[in-house]
Amino acid sequence: MAVAAPTTTPSVARPRTGALLRSPGARTAGLAAALVVLLAACAASLAIGSLDIPLREVWEALVSRDDTDAHAIVHDLRIPRTELGVLVGGALGAAGALMQGVTRNPLAEPQILGINSGAALSVVAAISVLGISAPVAYAGFALLGAALASVLVYLLGATGRGGATPVKLALAGAVLTALLTALTSAILVFDAQTLDEFRFWIVGSIAGRDTEVLTAVAPFMLTGLAIALLCGRSLNALAMGDEVARSLGHHVDRSRGWAALGFVLLAGGAVAAAGPIGFVGLTVPHVARALVGPDYRWVIPFSIVLGATLLLVGDVAGRVVSRPDELEVGIITALIGAPFFIWLVRRRRLSEL
């Protein structure tokens, strides 16, 4: 991915003054605490719903399943939903961190590089032209559309002098997003049946997805998570500018290419499985940086854990606030993420995020 850097740690990797967890020991303890909170969110996801199940009975269902309705609900509905929530939330958190590192843009997210729009157009075309209606089939077409959109953005951003600079990538993503959204809207205007099918996917939800969907997208997202965890050092160098990164021994284009592959797999797989869920990839990396500073070797692991926790908490909240119905997690994350991000921007200058 990158040529070995000098033993001296780049200055960008040093925790800034405002970081809450400054020493490696404090960061390790903080990550362990975040994992405990994630486990608590998993337990809540297994226990809470239209039918609340006591934690003791949840544990019994996990260790020795019987034929009761409660055990069937835990195994057939809530375990796949919880597993998908952890994977999608972690993938979105890591994808946001990678995007913001590659583009050096604190507002970068899947939408800014056309991934959501590419996935949406691909799903709409599959429903309208091929008559696809199964969620597992949505996953395959959404992932393909996300990947193609990302390639187009990179090719557009790489034209001209200077290659694929952060600003050119962001502009290319904005242009392609507008075009793909217009094409999607045109199809939906003239095809009411496709609109009926598509609207259940576009809102963003992990409900109703079975293990088949999880199995289809998990290899892509797990590969993306592995790439993300290996990109920390190169993203630290890229954050100081291309020239400085080269002087430290990093191959800039190769490093940026690996990171781009990582967030395509992560964001594409997440959107394919659950639809376009907003604000997780945008907000979570900022929270991680507030905790550990700008060192991506720590920002990415924290973003994975915090993203998974946020998505599960949002999903559980959606089951509670409108009983006996549910609010999709995409709505909940927007309601949580938008005001939090406004508060974050007001609390700190955007250039420090």
Side-chain angles (χ1 to χ4, degrees):
M1 184 186 308
V3 180
T7 55
T8 302
T9 303
S11 59
V12 72
R14 298 172 186 166
R16 69 183 182 204
T17 305
L20 297 178
L21 307 174
R22 302 183 185 181
S23 68
R27 292 172 176 179
T28 301
L31 187 59
L35 286 170
V36 171
V37 175
L38 175 58
L39 289 176
C42 290
S45 179
L46 295 175
I48 298 174
S50 57
L51 173 65
D52 289 340
I53 302 173
L55 287 175
R56 183 174 65 180
E57 193 167 356
V58 170
W59 175 254
E60 292 173 354
L62 294 176
V63 298
S64 58
R65 179 180 180 177
D66 58 30
D67 295 329
T68 62
D69 290 341
H71 286 203
I73 290 172
V74 170
H75 278 272
D76 299 337
L77 298 178
R78 294 187 183 171
I79 287 179
R81 184 170 181 170
T82 301
E83 291 174 341
L84 187 62
V86 170
L87 193 57
V88 168
L92 289 174
L98 286 177
M99 288 181 181
Q100 291 169 17
V102 169
T103 63
R104 300 199 293 273
N105 184 344
L107 300 180
E109 61 168 335
Q111 185 66 36
I112 201 171
L113 295 184
I115 291 178
N116 286 359
S117 300
L121 178 59
S122 183
V123 170
V124 165
I127 296 172
S128 179
V129 178
L130 302 178
I132 299 297
S133 60
V136 68
Y138 291 177
F141 282 98
L143 186 61
L144 177 63
L148 291 176
S150 300
V151 171
L152 286 175
V153 167
Y154 183 81
L155 292 177
L156 290 173
T159 58
R161 294 182 179 180
T165 64
V167 173
K168 288 168 64 178
L169 286 173
L171 291 174
V175 171
L176 190 64
T177 294
L179 174 61
L180 296 179
T181 301
L183 293 175
T184 300
S185 300
I187 295 174
L188 295 177
V189 164
F190 294 102
D191 193 338
Q193 183 177 354
T194 298
L195 176 60
D196 289 337
E197 293 281 348
F198 178 70
R199 63 190 178 92
F200 292 106
W201 179 83
I202 191 62
V203 72
S205 175
I206 57 174
R209 272 66 164 176
D210 55 23
T211 54
E212 191 177 5
V213 174
L214 179 63
T215 302
V217 299
F220 300 99
M221 286 191 280
L222 291 175
T223 302
L225 288 173
I227 293 173
L229 291 171
L230 293 172
C231 283
R233 188 177 297 276
S234 60
L235 288 179
N236 284 343
L238 290 175
M240 295 185 291
D242 291 358
E243 294 301 323
V244 174
R246 289 190 182 95
S247 70
L248 291 171
H250 290 267
H251 192 295
V252 171
D253 292 335
R254 185 185 304 161
S255 297
R256 189 170 283 130
W258 276 108
L261 175 62
F263 69 65
V264 166
L265 292 174
L266 290 167
V271 172
I277 296 175
F279 284 102
V280 177
L282 178 63
T283 304
V284 164
H286 292 297
V287 178
R289 279 190 286 272
L291 291 173
V292 300
D295 187 347
Y296 278 94
R297 293 172 299 179
W298 288 97
V299 168
I300 291 173
F302 268 86
S303 295
I304 293 171
V305 177
L306 294 175
T309 303
L310 175 59
L311 195 70
L312 282 185
V313 170
D315 186 49
V316 172
R319 307 178 204 178
V320 173
V321 297
S322 61
R323 283 178 170 174
D325 298 321
E326 294 186 6
L327 282 179
E328 285 77 5
V329 68
I331 298 174
I332 297 296
T333 56
L335 292 175
I336 295 173
F340 179 82
F341 189 68
I342 292 172
W343 171 83
L344 191 65
V345 172
R346 287 174 60 87
R347 183 172 179 265
R348 299 171 182 269
R349 294 195 305 273
L350 191 58
S351 61
E352 295 179 347
L353 293 174

